[in-house]
Amino acid sequence: MTGFAPKNPDFAARVRDSFGRQGAMALIGAELARVEPGAVDITVSFRPDLAQQHGYFHGGIVGMIADSAGGYAAFSLMPADASVLTVEYKINLLAPAHGERLIARGRVARSGRTLTVAQVDVVVVRDGKETPCATALQTLMAMVGKSDAGPRI
Amino acid sequence: MTGFAPKNPDFAARVRDSFGRQGAMALIGAELARVEPGAVDITVSFRPDLAQQHGYFHGGIVGMIADSAGGYAAFSLMPADASVLTVEYKINLLAPAHGERLIARGRVARSGRTLTVAQVDVVVVRDGKETPCATALQTLMAMVGKSDAGPRI
Amino acid sequence: MTGFAPKNPDFAARVRDSFGRQGAMALIGAELARVEPGAVDITVSFRPDLAQQHGYFHGGIVGMIADSAGGYAAFSLMPADASVLTVEYKINLLAPAHGERLIARGRVARSGRTLTVAQVDVVVVRDGKETPCATALQTLMAMVGKSDAGPRI
Amino acid sequence: MTGFAPKNPDFAARVRDSFGRQGAMALIGAELARVEPGAVDITVSFRPDLAQQHGYFHGGIVGMIADSAGGYAAFSLMPADASVLTVEYKINLLAPAHGERLIARGRVARSGRTLTVAQVDVVVVRDGKETPCATALQTLMAMVGKSDAGPRI
């Protein structure tokens, strides 16, 4: 339970549809693991082509799913005729992303008419144990009247 | 000319070697376009699997090469026995990344013994014309005594 | 010359008027040193009650005038019936602010209808020599129809 | 209870001593409301000279105590021979700071040997009711061997 009431009852289908049309999410094998009002989780399983030279997840992959998890968390609360845009984000990398799976958990911190602020935590799972590897703070913008579009992010 | 004197005369080879070992940079087709002391450019050509649903570059790809361009700009000034770590970055997405090529230009703003601050501008090239699409401010850390490692980023 | 055309020909008077009504700017002795379209400089002279325990300018004072310089730079380009709001900013402190005067130079990097992105550099002046002590990246929002208000920042 | 074990048993006295020597905290009437391992709260009561032109707290005051609350939360976990430095922070202003009192709550998110990451929430209290007005993410650095110094921030 997130405490947010979605403006669009079909928010989950809309998030899944938009996510499914993003070539870059498919490229890295990202999946939607949770879609609730104001809360979206994205996971990625490890592959060598997602790595940096030590065999850990590349920081760019961590940033990419953090950005998307926060973006879709914001999108889930927007009206049916709006799309979402990432204005900016800031991410702190807390530890090497060494493990078999990443989970980025995007949560809306403040939902306004034009701007949304999201907080995102990313953990890496290794032998079933979660370790925080990044935390992010993000600003998103609703583009009203762009109903056919999903997030640009 | 960047005004920085590299501590390691072989900095360019070291940057290229580290970049070449990153699976994630190969995955997205990223290339090193410039390697000077404190200044590294990375380019990516458009492919549908790097897109979001409007056919523009995905914001995650923009963030990924921005992070790497700043990281390698910092790495180029570090001593031969150090590796580099992205501590954090903040990125503003200025315009849709609509075009045939992205160029991320990482520049060191302050080079300290432990911490480096880099500034990164990303442009998208369309019909030969550059449009700014993102700007970032990044903090990196030198890990001294980790000479065989390239950037974790 | 900043290359920006102001929407409001009276932008400079409007910036000065708004600045003059901010109690907090008076409290720290801040002054407007430059007001051009998209470019505002703010200076503060050293006083012991602006210090941290080493006798340098407190980081909070550095952040405060960085935020205001970027905010007023954005405000200078807004229409006469808009006020400005700081959405967020990120600031890197580059060196101790040791000197007799701070200068924060706010410059608009991108001016949109709703959102503006500003870049701010802060230097500390000691014996006539400038040293960079902070750099910031900031997002601001125009609040149209709030004409009598200056920046909230 | 914060779950952190302080390296210095006298952490609270050290935080209070350092805070007491900061001219800028006295200037704005800031007070330490809580000092626990990895958790520091700072409050400021409203005065007209802390305002912007609408009679709300100035955003610069919000940023100043957010920076200090995170800085002292980090400092509380550092060894007795270290001082703390703000490397950078990013702050989102969520709502006008309209009320009689601000409370900034700094909490350590990750405590490393050299770097600490803190998360800070700022609320404004009006008629006894708290409203979130800002959230920040901050990176701090331990300067080992600078035992007599408190935070530079």
Side-chain angles (χ1 to χ4, degrees), chain B residues 36-50:
Chain B
E36 293 181 29
V40 166
D41 294 359
I42 295 177
T43 65
V44 175
S45 292
F46 185 75
R47 302 184 325 216
D49 63 357
L50 302 181

Side-chain angles (χ1 to χ4, degrees), chain C residues 18 21-25 27-28 47-54 56-61 63-64 67-68 72 86-93 95-97 149-153, chain D residues 18 21-25 27-28 47-54 56-61 63-64 67-68 72 86-93 95-97 149-153:
Chain C
S18 170
R21 283 181 287 125
Q22 296 211 338
M25 287 292 110
L27 178 69
I28 65 170
R47 300 183 327 214
D49 62 359
L50 301 181
Q52 30 78 294
Q53 67 276 21
H54 304 297
Y56 307 154
F57 280 99
H58 196 279
I61 303 296
M64 203 161 160
D67 180 15
S68 288
Y72 280 113
T86 297
V87 173
E88 61 83 39
Y89 63 92
K90 178 253 207 290
I91 185 165
N92 272 72
L93 300 176
R152 182 175 65 92
I153 48 169
Chain D
S18 170
R21 283 180 286 126
Q22 296 210 341
M25 287 291 110
L27 178 69
I28 64 170
R47 301 183 327 214
D49 62 357
L50 301 181
Q52 30 77 292
Q53 67 276 22
H54 304 297
Y56 307 154
F57 281 100
H58 196 278
I61 304 297
M64 205 161 158
D67 179 15
S68 287
Y72 281 113
T86 297
V87 172
E88 61 82 41
Y89 64 92
K90 179 253 205 288
I91 185 165
N92 273 71
L93 300 175
R152 183 174 64 91
I153 48 166

Side-chain angles (χ1 to χ4, degrees), chain A residues 78-102:
Chain A
M78 291 183 183
D81 67 337
S83 66
V84 64
L85 213 78
T86 297
V87 173
E88 60 83 38
Y89 63 91
K90 179 251 207 289
I91 186 165
N92 272 72
L93 300 175
L94 303 175
H98 182 194
E100 60 263 15
R101 200 158 57 103
L102 287 177

Side-chain angles (χ1 to χ4, degrees), chain B residues 30-150:
Chain B
E31 292 177 19
L32 279 172
R34 173 179 172 162
V35 181
E36 293 181 29
V40 166
D41 294 359
I42 295 177
T43 65
V44 175
S45 292
F46 185 75
R47 302 184 325 216
D49 63 357
L50 302 181
Q52 30 80 291
Q53 68 276 22
H54 304 297
Y56 307 155
F57 281 100
H58 196 279
I61 304 297
V62 174
M64 204 161 158
I65 64 167
D67 179 14
S68 287
Y72 281 112
F75 189 50
S76 72
L77 296 182
M78 291 183 183
D81 67 338
S83 66
V84 64
L85 213 77
T86 297
V87 172
E88 60 82 39
Y89 63 91
K90 178 253 205 288
I91 185 164
N92 273 72
L93 300 175
L94 304 175
H98 182 193
E100 60 264 14
R101 200 157 58 103
L102 287 177
I103 311 173
R105 298 182 171 118
R107 302 292 179 265
V108 170
R110 179 195 177 271
S111 175
R113 200 169 53 88
T114 305
L115 296 180
T116 297
V117 177
Q119 202 278 329
V120 188
D121 286 310
V122 187
V123 298
V124 63
V125 184
R126 189 180 174 196
D127 300 330
K129 187 173 164 290
E130 290 190 4
T131 302
C133 65
T135 185
L137 189 54
Q138 186 184 25
T139 309
L140 304 114
M141 188 174 177
M143 306 289 279
V144 178
K146 301 218 170 186
S147 61
D148 60 328

Side-chain angles (χ1 to χ4, degrees), chain A residues 107-140:
Chain A
R107 302 292 179 264
V108 170
R110 178 194 178 272
S111 175
R113 200 170 52 89
T114 305
L115 296 180
T116 298
V117 177
Q119 203 278 328
V120 188
D121 286 310
V122 187
V123 298
V124 64
V125 184
R126 189 180 174 195
D127 300 331
K129 187 173 166 289
E130 290 190 4
T131 303
C133 65
T135 186
L137 189 54
Q138 187 184 25
T139 309
L140 296 308

Side-chain angles (χ1 to χ4, degrees), chain A residues 18-26 68 72 151-153, chain B residues 51-53 58:
Chain A
S18 170
F19 188 89
R21 283 180 286 126
Q22 297 211 338
M25 287 291 110
S68 288
Y72 281 112
R152 184 175 62 91
I153 48 165
Chain B
Q52 30 80 291
Q53 68 276 22
H58 196 279

